[in-house]
Amino acid sequence: MSIDLPDAIDAYFSSDKTGNAQALSELFTQDATVVDEGNSYTGRDAIRQWMANASTQYTYTVEPFDIAEDGQRTIVTSHLVGNFPGSPVDLRYFFVLRGDKIAGLEIVP
């Protein structure tokens, strides 16, 4: 199923598919924070390193299938399949956008 995502979020999932950590980090504001698996990563350098580690540690595909709004956040639910513990799993991505950049992202089951 295809859903209509805001440009910054669509670019996030496109960059995630290619594993390009540098391109992905540039989609975030300078002071953005990502929370994933209980860990926080603040700033583009930390976000780039987070993505670089994830893309070398695991092989996976992610397919967004639902989008909703929750106040200031855009929630994208995606199906994630790969060689990681607990695969497959549906994850919720809570995006906070600032202009055309991602200012915050929290990923939870």
Side-chain angles (χ1 to χ4, degrees):
M1 171 195 335
S2 179
I3 59 174
D4 189 24
L5 298 172
D7 290 344
I9 295 174
D10 187 51
Y12 170 87
F13 285 109
S14 294
S15 292
D16 187 33
K17 281 183 185 179
T18 66
N20 187 335
Q22 182 64 38
L24 186 132
S25 70
E26 291 172 5
L27 300 171
F28 288 82
T29 62
Q30 290 288 352
D31 61 345
T33 298
V34 171
V35 178
D36 183 31
E37 296 183 19
N39 298 305
S40 293
Y41 309 91
T42 301
R44 284 186 181 158
D45 287 341
I47 291 168
R48 180 183 42 75
Q49 190 61 45
W50 160 73
M51 178 49 63
N53 289 341
S55 63
T56 58
Q57 189 173 10
Y58 301 114
T59 302
Y60 60 90
T61 59
V62 59
E63 185 63 39
F65 66 86
D66 189 47
I67 186 168
E69 295 292 327
D70 175 20
Q72 302 278 339
R73 302 180 300 178
T74 301
I75 305 162
V76 177
T77 306
S78 298
H79 190 65
L80 193 68
V81 177
N83 65 343
F84 56 89
S87 177
V89 65
D90 288 342
L91 296 178
R92 290 175 294 151
Y93 294 71
F94 291 83
F95 289 93
V96 176
L97 301 178
R98 188 182 311 143
D100 63 347
K101 298 284 186 186
I102 301 167
L105 171 60
E106 182 177 3
I107 304 170
V108 296

XYZ file of all heavy atoms in Angstrom:
845
model
N 0.844 -1.171 0.000
C 0.000 0.000 0.000
C 0.893 1.240 0.000
O 1.884 1.315 0.689
C -0.886 0.001 1.249
C -1.597 1.309 1.377
S -2.406 1.828 2.891
C -2.857 0.480 3.821
N 0.524 2.211 -0.777
C 1.273 3.453 -0.859
C 0.517 4.550 -0.111
O -0.699 4.672 -0.251
C 1.459 3.836 -2.327
O 2.149 5.041 -2.417
N 1.241 5.315 0.688
C 0.625 6.423 1.410
C 1.347 7.715 1.056
O 2.503 7.687 0.638
C 0.626 6.196 2.942
C 2.049 6.014 3.479
C -0.248 5.014 3.308
C 2.129 5.942 4.987
N 0.662 8.830 1.237
C 1.218 10.139 0.912
C 1.920 10.692 2.144
O 1.268 11.043 3.121
C 0.092 11.067 0.441
C 0.617 12.370 -0.119
O 1.785 12.393 -0.564
O -0.135 13.357 -0.097
N 3.247 10.767 2.098
C 4.044 11.243 3.222
C 4.523 12.668 2.969
O 4.806 13.029 1.822
C 5.274 10.351 3.420
C 5.021 8.882 3.754
C 6.325 8.100 3.717
C 4.361 8.752 5.121
N 4.651 13.479 4.028
C 5.291 14.790 3.862
C 6.695 14.601 3.275
O 7.343 13.576 3.503
C 5.352 15.333 5.294
C 4.252 14.623 6.020
C 4.196 13.245 5.402
N 7.156 15.593 2.531
C 8.423 15.474 1.806
C 9.594 15.031 2.684
O 10.356 14.139 2.304
C 8.774 16.792 1.114
C 7.846 17.090 -0.056
O 7.140 16.172 -0.536
O 7.826 18.255 -0.496
N 9.766 15.646 3.863
C 10.905 15.308 4.726
C 10.828 13.863 5.199
O 11.847 13.169 5.278
C 10.969 16.254 5.919
N 9.620 13.394 5.480
C 9.446 12.018 5.956
C 9.644 11.035 4.807
O 10.291 9.996 4.973
C 8.077 11.856 6.636
C 8.024 12.733 7.901
C 7.802 10.391 6.969
C 6.673 12.780 8.587
N 9.139 11.362 3.644
C 9.360 10.528 2.470
C 10.855 10.414 2.178
O 11.369 9.322 1.896
C 8.609 11.113 1.269
C 8.652 10.195 0.065
O 8.326 9.008 0.198
O 9.027 10.689 -1.023
N 11.566 11.533 2.270
C 13.013 11.531 2.041
C 13.728 10.689 3.100
O 14.718 10.003 2.796
C 13.547 12.962 2.036
N 13.240 10.711 4.344
C 13.822 9.898 5.409
C 13.759 8.415 5.039
O 14.767 7.705 5.093
C 13.098 10.141 6.739
C 13.490 9.152 7.809
C 14.600 9.385 8.617
C 12.788 7.969 7.989
C 14.981 8.463 9.584
C 13.162 7.041 8.945
C 14.258 7.291 9.734
O 14.645 6.373 10.679
N 12.578 7.939 4.665
C 12.438 6.526 4.329
C 13.209 6.165 3.060
O 13.769 5.064 2.970
C 10.957 6.129 4.230
C 10.302 6.013 5.580
C 9.378 6.962 5.994
C 10.614 4.969 6.445
C 8.776 6.871 7.246
C 10.020 4.870 7.699
C 9.097 5.819 8.100
N 13.299 7.075 2.107
C 14.094 6.829 0.900
C 15.576 6.714 1.243
O 16.273 5.821 0.747
C 13.884 7.948 -0.122
O 12.564 7.931 -0.596
N 16.075 7.601 2.096
C 17.482 7.544 2.505
C 17.766 6.299 3.327
O 18.838 5.704 3.222
C 17.858 8.786 3.318
O 17.841 9.932 2.503
N 16.802 5.902 4.156
C 16.957 4.697 4.963
C 17.114 3.475 4.060
O 17.940 2.601 4.320
C 15.761 4.539 5.899
C 15.928 3.401 6.883
O 17.065 3.126 7.301
O 14.905 2.784 7.243
N 16.363 3.425 2.976
C 16.443 2.287 2.043
C 17.824 2.167 1.422
O 18.313 1.066 1.193
C 15.405 2.429 0.929
C 14.022 2.039 1.339
C 13.071 2.141 0.173
C 11.657 1.850 0.641
N 10.680 1.950 -0.441
N 18.461 3.294 1.134
C 19.779 3.257 0.494
C 20.900 3.063 1.506
O 22.025 2.762 1.119
C 20.054 4.553 -0.294
O 20.142 5.652 0.619
C 18.970 4.802 -1.332
N 20.606 3.267 2.799
C 21.635 3.139 3.820
C 22.616 4.296 3.827
O 23.692 4.193 4.413
N 22.258 5.412 3.184
C 23.139 6.567 3.113
C 22.984 7.409 4.379
O 22.110 8.274 4.465
C 22.830 7.393 1.860
C 23.815 8.511 1.650
O 24.444 8.999 2.579
N 23.943 8.932 0.404
N 23.823 7.147 5.362
C 23.720 7.804 6.665
C 23.943 9.312 6.562
O 23.297 10.092 7.268
C 24.718 7.193 7.645
N 24.836 9.739 5.693
C 25.097 11.171 5.532
C 23.865 11.878 4.976
O 23.442 12.902 5.500
C 26.303 11.406 4.618
C 26.649 12.874 4.443
C 27.080 13.547 5.732
O 27.776 12.956 6.565
N 26.669 14.795 5.924
N 23.295 11.339 3.914
C 22.100 11.948 3.322
C 20.954 11.962 4.328
O 20.225 12.955 4.436
C 21.693 11.197 2.057
N 20.801 10.890 5.074
C 19.733 10.830 6.061
C 19.932 11.893 7.144
O 18.995 12.600 7.500
C 19.659 9.443 6.694
C 18.486 9.262 7.636
C 17.746 7.986 7.339
C 18.962 9.272 9.068
N 21.144 12.044 7.642
C 21.396 13.011 8.721
C 21.113 14.440 8.273
O 20.711 15.276 9.082
C 22.826 12.890 9.249
O 23.767 13.345 8.293
N 21.295 14.740 7.000
C 21.060 16.089 6.492
C 19.575 16.443 6.411
O 19.220 17.606 6.215
C 21.737 16.259 5.135
C 23.258 16.257 5.267
C 23.979 16.222 3.936
O 23.336 16.300 2.882
O 25.220 16.103 3.973
N 18.707 15.455 6.588
C 17.261 15.716 6.619
C 16.817 16.276 7.966
O 15.699 16.747 8.109
C 16.489 14.419 6.330
C 16.770 13.773 4.982
C 16.134 12.402 4.913
C 16.271 14.669 3.858
N 17.705 16.238 8.957
C 17.399 16.673 10.313
C 17.924 18.081 10.574
O 18.898 18.511 9.958
C 18.038 15.710 11.323
C 17.364 14.370 11.394
C 17.650 13.375 10.469
C 16.431 14.097 12.379
C 17.022 12.145 10.522
C 15.801 12.865 12.453
C 16.090 11.891 11.525
N 17.274 18.773 11.523
C 17.798 20.060 11.979
C 19.113 19.813 12.715
O 19.394 18.680 13.137
C 16.792 20.765 12.918
O 16.586 19.951 14.078
C 15.469 21.054 12.223
N 19.908 20.858 12.879
C 21.203 20.722 13.566
C 21.053 20.172 14.980
O 21.909 19.446 15.462
C 21.924 22.078 13.617
C 22.431 22.559 12.293
C 23.644 21.777 11.795
O 24.217 20.957 12.483
N 24.023 22.042 10.557
N 19.945 20.539 15.673
C 19.756 20.147 17.069
C 18.736 19.023 17.256
O 18.243 18.786 18.349
C 19.335 21.357 17.899
C 18.015 21.959 17.418
O 17.560 21.641 16.301
O 17.430 22.767 18.167
N 18.440 18.309 16.184
C 17.428 17.245 16.228
C 17.846 16.129 17.184
O 19.029 15.916 17.446
C 17.210 16.670 14.835
N 16.825 15.422 17.671
C 17.050 14.262 18.524
C 16.294 13.064 17.970
O 15.134 13.180 17.586
C 16.580 14.538 19.974
O 17.336 15.613 20.510
C 16.759 13.318 20.853
N 16.974 11.918 17.939
C 16.356 10.643 17.579
C 16.395 9.763 18.823
O 17.432 9.679 19.486
C 17.112 9.948 16.423
C 16.593 8.526 16.214
C 16.990 10.750 15.144
N 15.274 9.116 19.118
C 15.208 8.142 20.194
C 14.842 6.804 19.565
O 13.803 6.685 18.912
C 14.168 8.540 21.271
C 14.089 7.476 22.356
C 14.494 9.900 21.865
N 15.723 5.821 19.732
C 15.514 4.501 19.149
C 16.082 3.456 20.105
O 17.210 3.601 20.592
C 16.208 4.412 17.786
C 15.977 3.096 17.078
O 14.898 2.488 17.261
O 16.871 2.668 16.322
N 15.300 2.415 20.376
C 15.716 1.328 21.261
C 16.202 1.858 22.604
O 17.179 1.353 23.168
C 16.787 0.465 20.591
C 16.285 -0.241 19.350
C 17.320 -1.151 18.714
O 18.300 -1.533 19.396
O 17.158 -1.475 17.532
N 15.557 2.899 23.125
C 15.894 3.449 24.428
C 17.116 4.349 24.455
O 17.511 4.832 25.513
N 17.734 4.580 23.314
C 18.907 5.448 23.233
C 18.547 6.743 22.524
O 17.756 6.740 21.584
C 20.044 4.755 22.468
C 20.509 3.506 23.163
O 20.875 3.533 24.331
N 20.481 2.387 22.459
N 19.163 7.850 22.958
C 18.942 9.159 22.342
C 20.189 9.596 21.591
O 21.311 9.406 22.068
C 18.615 10.211 23.410
O 17.377 9.936 23.997
N 19.962 10.201 20.430
C 21.039 10.711 19.586
C 20.681 12.148 19.224
O 19.655 12.382 18.592
C 21.173 9.863 18.319
C 21.273 8.387 18.625
C 20.123 7.600 18.684
C 22.499 7.796 18.892
C 20.210 6.240 18.997
C 22.591 6.440 19.192
C 21.437 5.674 19.247
O 21.517 4.339 19.551
N 21.508 13.096 19.650
C 21.212 14.505 19.432
C 22.264 15.128 18.525
O 23.466 14.979 18.764
C 21.141 15.269 20.776
O 20.128 14.661 21.578
C 20.803 16.727 20.556
N 21.786 15.825 17.493
C 22.669 16.479 16.534
C 22.907 15.601 15.321
O 22.791 14.379 15.378
N 23.215 16.254 14.219
C 23.393 15.526 12.955
C 24.506 14.486 12.997
O 24.376 13.410 12.417
C 23.651 16.505 11.814
C 22.409 17.225 11.364
C 22.703 18.056 10.143
N 21.513 18.769 9.717
C 21.545 19.839 8.979
N 22.705 20.328 8.561
N 20.428 20.441 8.627
N 25.622 14.794 13.666
C 26.726 13.832 13.719
C 26.303 12.559 14.434
O 26.583 11.447 13.971
C 27.961 14.433 14.389
C 28.673 15.450 13.517
O 28.451 15.451 12.285
O 29.439 16.262 14.066
N 25.616 12.710 15.570
C 25.155 11.538 16.323
C 24.112 10.757 15.528
O 24.107 9.524 15.535
C 24.590 11.971 17.673
N 23.245 11.468 14.826
C 22.212 10.814 14.015
C 22.853 10.068 12.844
O 22.480 8.941 12.527
C 21.159 11.842 13.552
C 20.352 12.320 14.766
C 20.251 11.259 12.476
C 19.479 13.531 14.513
N 23.853 10.682 12.219
C 24.567 10.011 11.128
C 25.225 8.721 11.632
O 25.130 7.665 11.003
C 25.622 10.938 10.523
C 26.407 10.304 9.379
C 27.498 11.223 8.828
N 28.250 11.933 9.841
C 29.186 11.396 10.625
N 29.482 10.114 10.538
N 29.830 12.127 11.519
N 25.863 8.789 12.792
C 26.527 7.610 13.362
C 25.508 6.524 13.731
O 25.746 5.338 13.493
C 27.353 7.999 14.592
C 28.251 6.895 15.078
C 29.262 6.470 14.034
O 29.894 7.286 13.380
N 29.407 5.168 13.837
N 24.355 6.942 14.286
C 23.282 5.993 14.614
C 22.850 5.230 13.362
O 22.741 4.006 13.372
C 22.113 6.753 15.246
C 20.798 6.052 15.205
C 20.414 4.976 15.949
C 19.682 6.380 14.364
N 19.124 4.615 15.625
C 18.651 5.455 14.657
C 19.447 7.366 13.403
C 17.417 5.497 14.014
C 18.213 7.409 12.768
C 17.218 6.482 13.082
N 22.603 5.951 12.282
C 22.153 5.308 11.049
C 23.264 4.445 10.451
O 23.009 3.347 9.964
C 21.689 6.349 10.037
C 21.260 5.749 8.704
S 20.109 4.344 8.764
C 18.683 5.084 9.503
N 24.494 4.914 10.489
C 25.609 4.134 9.951
C 25.735 2.807 10.695
O 25.932 1.752 10.080
C 26.903 4.927 10.037
N 25.595 2.834 12.013
C 25.677 1.606 12.804
C 24.514 0.674 12.496
O 24.701 -0.536 12.349
C 25.704 1.920 14.301
C 27.010 2.536 14.727
O 28.017 2.435 14.049
N 26.986 3.193 15.866
N 23.301 1.220 12.406
C 22.121 0.395 12.137
C 22.220 -0.266 10.767
O 21.871 -1.440 10.617
C 20.849 1.238 12.225
N 22.709 0.466 9.768
C 22.744 -0.089 8.415
C 23.862 -1.106 8.235
O 23.802 -1.937 7.333
C 22.847 1.026 7.372
O 24.038 1.738 7.518
N 24.896 -1.085 9.078
C 25.942 -2.097 8.974
C 25.653 -3.299 9.870
O 26.081 -4.400 9.573
C 27.329 -1.526 9.344
O 27.294 -0.998 10.666
C 27.755 -0.450 8.365
N 24.919 -3.077 10.944
C 24.622 -4.157 11.885
C 23.495 -5.062 11.390
O 23.527 -6.263 11.608
C 24.256 -3.556 13.243
C 24.133 -4.572 14.349
C 23.927 -3.908 15.695
O 23.696 -2.713 15.799
N 24.001 -4.699 16.748
N 22.504 -4.474 10.717
C 21.334 -5.240 10.297
C 21.022 -4.994 8.824
O 21.289 -3.929 8.290
C 20.098 -4.845 11.116
C 20.258 -5.054 12.593
C 20.266 -3.969 13.468
C 20.398 -6.333 13.131
C 20.410 -4.159 14.833
C 20.545 -6.522 14.494
C 20.551 -5.439 15.339
O 20.694 -5.620 16.686
N 20.412 -6.000 8.213
C 19.836 -5.858 6.891
C 18.337 -5.883 7.077
O 17.811 -6.780 7.754
C 20.271 -7.015 5.974
O 21.695 -7.029 5.913
C 19.702 -6.853 4.577
N 17.647 -4.882 6.528
C 16.204 -4.802 6.751
C 15.537 -4.014 5.641
O 16.185 -3.285 4.897
C 15.901 -4.140 8.106
C 16.442 -2.739 8.226
C 15.681 -1.643 7.840
C 17.731 -2.502 8.699
C 16.179 -0.350 7.926
C 18.238 -1.224 8.797
C 17.459 -0.153 8.411
O 17.964 1.114 8.495
N 14.232 -4.194 5.565
C 13.396 -3.373 4.696
C 12.300 -2.779 5.561
O 11.857 -3.389 6.529
C 12.763 -4.174 3.540
O 11.955 -5.221 4.086
C 13.821 -4.761 2.630
N 11.898 -1.576 5.217
C 10.847 -0.895 5.966
C 9.814 -0.376 4.972
O 10.174 0.201 3.954
C 11.432 0.243 6.847
C 12.166 1.269 6.039
C 10.374 0.872 7.701
N 8.557 -0.628 5.288
C 7.472 -0.231 4.393
C 6.404 0.529 5.185
O 5.628 -0.076 5.926
C 6.856 -1.462 3.729
C 5.814 -1.134 2.699
C 6.375 -0.357 1.510
O 7.495 -0.650 1.066
O 5.682 0.566 1.035
N 6.363 1.861 5.054
C 5.315 2.641 5.730
C 3.937 2.266 5.188
O 3.770 2.108 3.979
C 5.648 4.089 5.372
C 7.066 4.081 4.913
C 7.291 2.722 4.314
N 2.962 2.094 6.103
C 1.624 1.740 5.639
C 0.505 2.550 6.277
O -0.650 2.417 5.883
C 1.360 0.234 5.821
C 1.312 -0.243 7.242
C 0.131 -0.186 7.972
C 2.444 -0.769 7.840
C 0.082 -0.651 9.274
C 2.412 -1.225 9.149
C 1.217 -1.161 9.868
N 0.827 3.426 7.239
C -0.218 4.246 7.849
C 0.395 5.560 8.327
O 1.554 5.595 8.740
C -0.860 3.507 9.028
C -2.091 4.224 9.561
O -2.945 4.619 8.740
O -2.203 4.389 10.795
N -0.404 6.616 8.275
C 0.039 7.927 8.742
C -1.095 8.575 9.524
O -2.270 8.420 9.178
C 0.498 8.825 7.566
C 1.088 10.143 8.084
C -0.625 9.043 6.582
C 1.811 10.953 7.015
N -0.727 9.263 10.609
C -1.705 9.962 11.447
C -1.035 11.185 12.050
O 0.189 11.296 12.091
C -2.214 9.040 12.561
N -1.847 12.111 12.510
C -1.352 13.306 13.185
C -1.715 13.215 14.667
O -2.788 12.742 15.021
C -1.979 14.566 12.582
C -1.596 14.819 11.138
C -0.134 15.185 10.948
O 0.450 15.840 11.837
O 0.422 14.810 9.908
N -0.817 13.680 15.524
C -1.029 13.684 16.970
C -0.485 15.007 17.509
O 0.656 15.064 17.951
C -0.325 12.488 17.596
C -0.396 12.471 19.113
O -1.278 13.136 19.684
O 0.445 11.796 19.732
N -1.286 16.056 17.434
C -0.797 17.358 17.870
C 0.323 17.835 16.982
O 0.144 18.058 15.795
N 1.509 17.948 17.541
C 2.684 18.443 16.816
C 3.433 17.348 16.064
O 4.408 17.625 15.373
C 3.653 19.103 17.803
C 3.059 20.248 18.583
C 3.072 21.532 17.780
O 3.832 21.688 16.839
N 2.208 22.450 18.156
N 3.001 16.092 16.217
C 3.756 14.975 15.641
C 3.008 14.317 14.482
O 1.787 14.267 14.467
C 4.036 13.912 16.708
C 4.802 14.475 17.894
C 5.080 13.440 18.934
N 3.842 12.851 19.459
C 3.797 11.881 20.352
N 4.910 11.383 20.841
N 2.645 11.401 20.785
N 3.788 13.790 13.555
C 3.263 12.959 12.478
C 3.709 11.541 12.786
O 4.907 11.279 12.941
C 3.814 13.405 11.112
O 3.456 14.775 10.895
C 3.268 12.545 9.997
N 2.751 10.629 12.888
C 3.050 9.248 13.257
C 2.925 8.375 12.010
O 1.867 8.313 11.390
C 2.085 8.743 14.341
C 2.103 9.684 15.539
C 2.444 7.310 14.747
C 0.914 9.532 16.450
N 4.021 7.716 11.666
C 4.039 6.812 10.520
C 4.264 5.400 11.057
O 5.246 5.151 11.757
C 5.141 7.182 9.514
C 5.182 6.187 8.364
C 4.938 8.606 9.003
N 3.335 4.502 10.750
C 3.491 3.105 11.141
C 4.054 2.349 9.950
O 3.577 2.500 8.822
C 2.147 2.498 11.588
O 1.588 3.333 12.609
C 2.339 1.092 12.133
N 5.091 1.552 10.215
C 5.806 0.854 9.149
C 6.034 -0.600 9.523
O 6.198 -0.935 10.701
C 7.162 1.508 8.904
O 7.007 2.838 8.479
N 6.058 -1.431 8.497
C 6.366 -2.845 8.675
C 7.862 -3.023 8.418
O 8.369 -2.638 7.358
C 5.535 -3.675 7.691
C 5.605 -5.138 7.948
N 5.108 -5.718 9.100
C 6.115 -6.145 7.207
C 5.305 -7.017 9.052
N 5.919 -7.299 7.911
N 8.573 -3.577 9.391
C 10.020 -3.741 9.321
C 10.348 -5.229 9.336
O 9.897 -5.956 10.224
C 10.665 -3.037 10.515
C 12.151 -2.806 10.504
C 12.531 -1.786 9.435
C 12.607 -2.297 11.866
N 11.111 -5.669 8.332
C 11.511 -7.069 8.214
C 13.017 -7.099 8.017
O 13.561 -6.338 7.203
C 10.824 -7.744 6.999
C 11.294 -9.180 6.844
C 9.312 -7.671 7.128
N 13.709 -7.959 8.770
C 15.151 -8.044 8.601
C 15.773 -9.111 9.468
O 15.092 -9.955 10.032
N 17.088 -9.028 9.612
C 17.844 -10.014 10.380
C 18.150 -9.495 11.782
O 19.253 -9.624 12.275
C 19.136 -10.395 9.634
C 20.104 -9.228 9.515
O 19.739 -8.066 9.689
N 21.357 -9.541 9.197
N 17.160 -8.945 12.435
C 17.314 -8.423 13.786
C 16.358 -9.179 14.708
O 15.354 -9.731 14.250
C 17.023 -6.911 13.829
C 15.663 -6.551 13.301
C 14.562 -6.510 14.136
C 15.481 -6.259 11.959
C 13.304 -6.198 13.652
C 14.229 -5.941 11.459
C 13.138 -5.912 12.308
N 16.641 -9.207 16.007
C 15.764 -9.913 16.947
C 14.346 -9.324 16.911
O 14.176 -8.114 16.900
C 16.414 -9.667 18.304
C 17.830 -9.315 18.000
C 17.814 -8.642 16.655
N 13.350 -10.205 16.847
C 11.965 -9.756 16.855
C 11.370 -9.495 15.488
O 10.227 -9.059 15.384
N 12.134 -9.744 14.426
C 11.632 -9.510 13.063
C 10.602 -10.570 12.705
O 10.756 -11.728 13.083
C 12.778 -9.576 12.065
O 12.303 -9.426 10.749
N 9.573 -10.201 11.985
C 9.162 -8.858 11.561
C 8.419 -8.144 12.689
O 7.915 -8.767 13.621
C 8.231 -9.132 10.385
C 7.590 -10.447 10.730
C 8.659 -11.230 11.466
N 8.339 -6.809 12.548
C 7.673 -5.997 13.566
C 7.095 -4.751 12.901
O 7.626 -4.268 11.908
C 8.668 -5.614 14.689
C 9.778 -4.722 14.174
C 7.962 -4.992 15.871
N 5.996 -4.284 13.446
C 5.452 -2.999 13.026
C 5.932 -1.953 14.025
O 5.788 -2.132 15.235
C 3.914 -3.019 12.988
C 3.392 -3.850 11.830
O 4.153 -4.115 10.880
O 2.208 -4.236 11.881
N 6.546 -0.894 13.515
C 7.068 0.180 14.355
C 6.333 1.473 14.066
O 5.907 1.715 12.929
C 8.563 0.389 14.094
C 9.487 -0.764 14.449
C 10.927 -0.412 14.078
C 9.388 -1.105 15.927
N 6.229 2.303 15.095
C 5.660 3.640 14.925
C 6.801 4.645 14.989
O 7.627 4.612 15.896
C 4.627 3.929 16.005
C 3.365 3.094 15.816
C 2.389 3.281 16.944
N 3.019 2.740 18.156
C 2.766 3.172 19.381
N 1.919 4.143 19.590
N 3.366 2.624 20.415
N 6.826 5.531 14.011
C 7.821 6.590 13.901
C 7.111 7.908 14.209
O 6.246 8.327 13.457
C 8.394 6.644 12.482
C 9.212 5.437 12.079
C 8.605 4.208 11.841
C 10.584 5.538 11.903
C 9.347 3.100 11.452
C 11.337 4.437 11.503
C 10.713 3.228 11.283
O 11.463 2.146 10.897
N 7.476 8.543 15.315
C 6.875 9.814 15.720
C 7.797 10.933 15.251
O 8.858 11.166 15.840
C 6.713 9.874 17.244
C 5.681 8.922 17.776
C 5.987 7.587 18.014
C 4.394 9.369 18.052
C 5.034 6.710 18.511
C 3.436 8.502 18.558
C 3.755 7.168 18.782
N 7.416 11.605 14.189
C 8.217 12.685 13.605
C 7.725 14.039 14.101
O 6.513 14.289 14.147
C 8.088 12.693 12.078
C 8.773 11.561 11.384
C 8.075 10.392 11.086
C 10.109 11.658 11.003
C 8.697 9.350 10.415
C 10.731 10.619 10.336
C 10.029 9.456 10.042
N 8.661 14.916 14.433
C 8.375 16.328 14.673
C 9.096 17.085 13.566
O 10.319 16.957 13.414
C 8.867 16.795 16.058
C 8.641 18.296 16.228
C 8.178 16.008 17.169
N 8.320 17.825 12.778
C 8.897 18.573 11.667
C 9.040 20.041 12.037
O 8.208 20.594 12.748
C 8.018 18.428 10.427
C 7.796 17.001 9.924
C 6.864 16.997 8.729
C 9.119 16.330 9.577
N 10.116 20.648 11.558
C 10.337 22.095 11.693
C 10.715 22.600 10.317
O 11.822 22.332 9.839
C 11.433 22.378 12.713
C 11.564 23.861 13.027
C 12.679 24.205 14.003
N 12.687 23.378 15.200
C 13.807 22.963 15.811
N 14.989 23.288 15.322
N 13.740 22.227 16.893
N 9.767 23.281 9.678
C 9.984 23.693 8.293
C 10.084 22.459 7.422
O 9.246 21.564 7.504
N 11.149 22.375 6.628
C 11.323 21.217 5.747
C 12.308 20.200 6.314
O 12.825 19.357 5.588
C 11.758 21.671 4.350
C 13.117 22.368 4.358
O 13.612 22.717 5.445
O 13.676 22.580 3.274
N 12.571 20.285 7.621
C 13.532 19.368 8.282
C 12.829 18.588 9.393
O 11.780 18.985 9.899
C 14.708 20.159 8.904
C 15.537 20.935 7.922
C 16.441 20.025 7.145
C 17.385 20.845 6.268
N 18.169 19.989 5.401
N 13.467 17.509 9.796
C 12.987 16.704 10.921
C 13.698 17.211 12.175
O 14.916 17.228 12.247
C 13.306 15.215 10.694
C 12.637 14.725 9.404
C 12.854 14.381 11.906
C 13.128 13.369 8.925
N 12.900 17.641 13.164
C 13.460 18.161 14.414
C 13.496 17.099 15.501
O 14.233 17.223 16.475
C 12.657 19.365 14.893
N 12.690 16.065 15.339
C 12.667 14.995 16.320
C 12.079 13.732 15.717
O 11.232 13.786 14.833
N 12.564 12.600 16.204
C 12.062 11.308 15.767
C 12.183 10.330 16.923
O 13.251 10.203 17.529
C 12.865 10.777 14.568
C 12.594 9.331 14.133
C 11.143 9.141 13.735
C 13.537 8.929 13.005
N 11.075 9.678 17.239
C 11.083 8.600 18.214
C 10.511 7.361 17.533
O 9.457 7.420 16.902
C 10.255 8.947 19.446
C 10.285 7.863 20.505
C 9.542 8.213 21.772
O 8.927 9.299 21.826
O 9.580 7.397 22.699
N 11.223 6.243 17.654
C 10.807 4.990 17.024
C 10.473 3.996 18.127
O 11.315 3.699 18.987
C 11.923 4.421 16.127
C 12.355 5.468 15.085
C 11.482 3.129 15.462
C 13.598 5.111 14.303
N 9.213 3.491 18.102
C 8.752 2.561 19.138
C 7.907 1.448 18.508
O 7.304 1.655 17.458
C 7.929 3.284 20.228
C 8.768 4.294 20.972
C 6.696 3.924 19.657
N 7.867 0.281 19.169
C 7.004 -0.796 18.677
C 5.536 -0.437 18.825
O 5.158 0.394 19.587
C 7.341 -1.993 19.566
C 8.545 -1.608 20.348
C 8.692 -0.141 20.283
